[in-house]
Amino acid sequence: MDLKIFRYAVSLTLIVVLSACETSTQHKNPYQDSFDAAGIRSILVVPGVNRSVNIYAPGTMLSVLPTVLADEGYYVFPVNTVKFVLEHEGLYEAADVHSMQTSKLASMFGANAVLYVTVEQWDTQYVVIDSTTGIELKFKLVTSSGEEIWNATKRVDKSSNENNNMETNSVLAQLLGSAISAAMERAFPDYRPLAEQAVQEVFILDNTRFPAGPYHPSKIVENKEAANVAASEREM
């Protein structure tokens, strides 16, 4: 009887351990190994190449990206300082910055990796009584050794009718409300919320999300716990 209980306990323990290992594997970020191998701690965000007709698009992206990356636990070089240094080196155009060797670019700041952004679209399409504001972005992360370890493409659209929540039984009033919303969206499109949404989804929510960086609270706790365990083992 005792032997049966022992076998049952061993079997149950094995099931729990295997389940924990499977769960850990399933939840592991697919980019974790490549980020760890490259020792990504600091990220240099360079001015984005703009293929849209909106001249403000790259500036908006530079103002949105650092906060999200920092929240994920990475050191991000101040974008204004980066811009100043690049211009001092004669790199005024984003295309020139992107064509420069990543290893040289990273060495200028001591960065572990460089994040490149390309704005493919950043405009508002107007169709009769509706308008759609959309952005399309491409990202890639290249290590200081020149290896691309991550990339993503993201498109976010917003219809002017999403802002038209007027409840009325009058078809004419609905059409008029839609036309006014479309005209306002076309005249004063607000791209920043779309940029923030795109960045949040790419770096935090989608399957392209970054693994937690070394300065993320979860990593700090893990490192502290590992240090405590190591200290306890040395004392033993």
Side-chain angles (χ1 to χ4, degrees), residues 14 29 37 42 61 104 109 121 130 174 177-178 186 216:
L14 287 173
N29 188 292
S42 61
M61 292 308 303
K104 292 182 178 179
F109 298 88
Q121 183 179 345
D130 186 22
Q174 290 178 354
S178 296
R186 186 181 186 184
H216 191 276

Side-chain angles (χ1 to χ4, degrees), residues 116-190:
Y116 298 91
V117 185
T118 301
V119 179
E120 296 289 344
Q121 183 179 345
W122 193 284
D123 59 19
T124 300
Q125 303 292 329
Y126 185 77
V127 182
V128 190
I129 60 172
D130 186 22
S131 67
T132 301
T133 300
I135 64 174
E136 184 175 346
L137 308 164
K138 288 185 178 179
F139 307 88
K140 68 176 180 179
L141 187 74
V142 183
T143 67
S144 57
S145 62
E147 180 186 2
E148 181 179 322
I149 60 172
W150 176 91
N151 64 75
T153 299
K154 189 67 179 180
R155 179 176 182 85
V156 178
D157 295 294
K158 178 184 178 183
S159 171
S160 60
N161 283 331
E162 294 179 17
N163 298 325
N164 187 19
N165 299 320
M166 180 173 56
E167 296 182 2
T168 176
N169 294 325
S170 171
V171 176
L172 180 59
Q174 290 178 354
L175 291 175
L176 181 60
S178 296
I180 293 174
S181 295
M184 290 294 293
E185 184 66 26
R186 186 181 186 184
F188 308 103
D190 189 2

Side-chain angles (χ1 to χ4, degrees), residues 40-45 77 102 106 110-115 141-144 149:
I40 306 299
R41 304 178 66 86
S42 61
I43 297 176
L44 175 66
V45 181
F77 294 87
T102 303
N112 301 131
V114 179
L115 180 66
L141 187 74
V142 183
T143 67
S144 57
I149 60 172

Side-chain angles (χ1 to χ4, degrees), residues 27-233:
H27 287 82
K28 183 179 179 179
N29 188 292
Y31 301 102
Q32 186 70 61
D33 290 340
S34 57
F35 271 60
D36 289 345
I40 306 299
R41 304 178 66 86
S42 61
I43 297 176
L44 175 66
V45 181
V46 295
V49 169
N50 188 15
R51 293 178 179 166
S52 75
V53 296
N54 193 305
I55 62 173
Y56 301 107
T60 301
M61 292 308 303
L62 280 180
S63 69
V64 169
L65 282 166
T67 300
V68 174
L69 295 174
D71 287 345
E72 280 300 283
Y74 298 92
Y75 174 77
V76 184
F77 294 87
V79 293
N80 289 330
T81 302
V82 171
K83 185 174 183 293
F84 175 82
V85 173
L86 292 175
E87 290 180 352
H88 182 73
E89 295 295 323
L91 298 168
Y92 293 92
E93 299 296 330
D96 294 334
V97 177
H98 283 228
S99 64
M100 186 177 180
Q101 285 187 359
T102 303
S103 57
K104 292 182 178 179
L105 194 57
S107 66
M108 291 171 61
F109 298 88
N112 301 131
V114 179
L115 180 66
Y116 298 91
V117 185
T118 301
V119 179
E120 296 289 344
Q121 183 179 345
W122 193 284
D123 59 19
T124 300
Q125 303 292 329
Y126 185 77
V127 182
V128 190
I129 60 172
D130 186 22
S131 67
T132 301
T133 300
I135 64 174
E136 184 175 346
L137 308 164
K138 288 185 178 179
F139 307 88
K140 68 176 180 179
L141 187 74
V142 183
T143 67
S144 57
S145 62
E147 180 186 2
E148 181 179 322
I149 60 172
W150 176 91
N151 64 75
T153 299
K154 189 67 179 180
R155 179 176 182 85
V156 178
D157 295 294
K158 178 184 178 183
S159 171
S160 60
N161 283 331
E162 294 179 17
N163 298 325
N164 187 19
N165 299 320
M166 180 173 56
E167 296 182 2
T168 176
N169 294 325
S170 171
V171 176
L172 180 59
Q174 290 178 354
L175 291 175
L176 181 60
S178 296
I180 293 174
S181 295
M184 290 294 293
E185 184 66 26
R186 186 181 186 184
F188 308 103
D190 189 2
Y191 293 101
R192 187 178 181 86
L194 294 183
E196 291 175 341
Q197 178 183 340
V199 169
Q200 286 281 336
E201 292 178 0
V202 166
F203 292 95
I204 298 177
L205 302 176
D206 291 351
N207 57 8
T208 56
R209 66 187 180 276
F210 269 22
Y215 305 110
H216 191 276
S218 63
K219 286 292 185 179
I220 294 175
V221 171
E222 287 180 12
N223 293 337
K224 186 175 181 180
E225 291 177 348
N228 290 336
V229 170
S232 298
E233 291 177 350

